[in-house]
Amino acid sequence: MPEILPGVHVVPLSRGAGAPGGAMNICLLEEDGKITMVDAGLPVSSAGLLAYMEGMGLAPQAIRRIIITHHHIDHVGGLNEILELSGAEVWAHRDDAAVIEGTVARPGIPPERIEAMLAAIPAEQRTAAEARMKQMNAVTPAVVDLRLVGGEELNVLGGVQILHSPGHTAGHLCLYLPACSLLIAGDLLRLEDGVIGASPSGFAADADQALASAKRVVSSGFEGFIGYHGGYVVSGARELLSPSLTG
């Protein structure tokens, strides 16, 4: 994928054969040859990420920090492999840090949710999908170097504001880049079928809290939008907001 805005790259990576769900949009924020990476995908993601960076003319060591929007497996599964290659710091919200570090047990996926996900997959792919889900649950812990609380600002690309947006998980984060009016929404919001709406409530730790966070975040206004799943736009995001978020 191209550089969608100056210094902002979206790398859509596959979940791997037999895995449920669509692509994962990993963001790279590049300035002066240094990378701030947002989320780390699954273990199957690192090859595609490194190939993309090679196309940028950058080695893995260009990654200086990895900001994790939340502890779910498809956001941290590839973390350790990337850390071994890059030596980057890991930033995450303090309320998700213990799960990422493995000192608090990772919440399991409710059986009914697994059944619903598998039911949406073609029958011939379900065995592979089940195996992939089991593999996904075996995530190696990683040390969180900086525990965030929300409200911090990173001096990259004119400033990156870190927004605490709990609900999907207790420590979910979004990132806002005022200089280009861009929201990196993690799993709080999703662009599908031309509408930016709340992510499926069944994946949230607290669906009501997640919706309240989504309404608060969209009230600040932004023109560009990147969701971790689904699509992205570089302008016109306000016109795509679901009425459920603005009413």
Side-chain angles (χ1 to χ4, degrees):
M1 294 295 291
E3 181 179 21
I4 67 167
L5 289 167
V8 180
H9 299 253
V10 176
V11 189
L13 298 172
S14 170
R15 289 169 174 261
M24 302 168 294
N25 297 324
I26 291 178
C27 293
L28 305 179
L29 307 179
E30 185 273 330
E31 187 171 74
D32 298 329
K34 300 174 184 178
I35 294 287
T36 295
M37 181 172 159
V38 184
D39 288 323
L42 290 163
V44 297
S45 308
S46 57
L49 171 69
L50 296 176
Y52 185 93
M53 287 187 61
E54 184 177 357
M56 296 172 66
L58 296 176
Q61 291 78 13
I63 304 173
R64 300 303 175 90
R65 66 189 63 84
I66 303 171
I67 300 177
I68 300 298
T69 62
H70 62 290
H71 66 62
H72 284 169
I73 294 164
D74 54 337
H75 296 253
V76 301
L79 183 56
N80 272 285
E81 184 173 357
I82 295 167
L83 291 177
E84 289 176 4
L85 295 170
S86 67
E89 290 186 343
V90 177
W91 295 13
H93 193 274
R94 63 184 180 186
D95 290 344
D96 275 19
V99 176
I100 296 169
E101 293 186 327
T103 58
V104 169
R106 181 171 298 281
I109 303 174
E112 62 273 14
R113 192 181 304 165
I114 293 176
E115 291 177 10
M117 288 190 290
L118 291 174
I121 297 172
E124 64 274 13
Q125 297 180 17
R126 286 177 194 162
T127 299
E130 288 181 288
R132 178 70 68 186
M133 286 182 183
K134 290 179 182 178
Q135 179 189 26
M136 285 166 57
N137 277 318
V139 175
T140 304
V143 172
V144 175
D145 299 289
L146 183 61
R147 283 164 160 74
L148 304 166
V149 298
E152 298 89 350
E153 183 160 345
L154 174 64
N155 186 25
V156 171
L157 299 181
V160 179
Q161 297 174 5
I162 296 173
L163 312 177
H164 184 208
S165 50
H168 190 74
T169 66
H172 189 281
L173 298 171
C174 295
L175 279 64
Y176 179 60
L177 286 67
C180 51
S181 189
L182 174 70
L183 178 73
I184 301 174
D187 277 3
L188 183 69
L189 301 166
R190 186 177 295 190
L191 172 58
E192 288 185 319
D193 300 323
V195 177
I196 297 173
S199 293
S201 60
F203 292 94
D206 186 325
D208 291 338
Q209 188 181 46
L211 181 58
S213 290
K215 289 182 175 181
R216 184 177 66 254
V217 168
V218 303
S219 68
S220 62
F222 47 88
E223 285 299 322
F225 171 85
I226 302 170
Y228 191 72
H229 306 292
Y232 67 86
V233 292
V234 298
S235 63
R238 295 186 204 187
E239 287 71 39
L240 302 179
L241 293 173
S242 167
S244 65
L245 299 177
T246 57

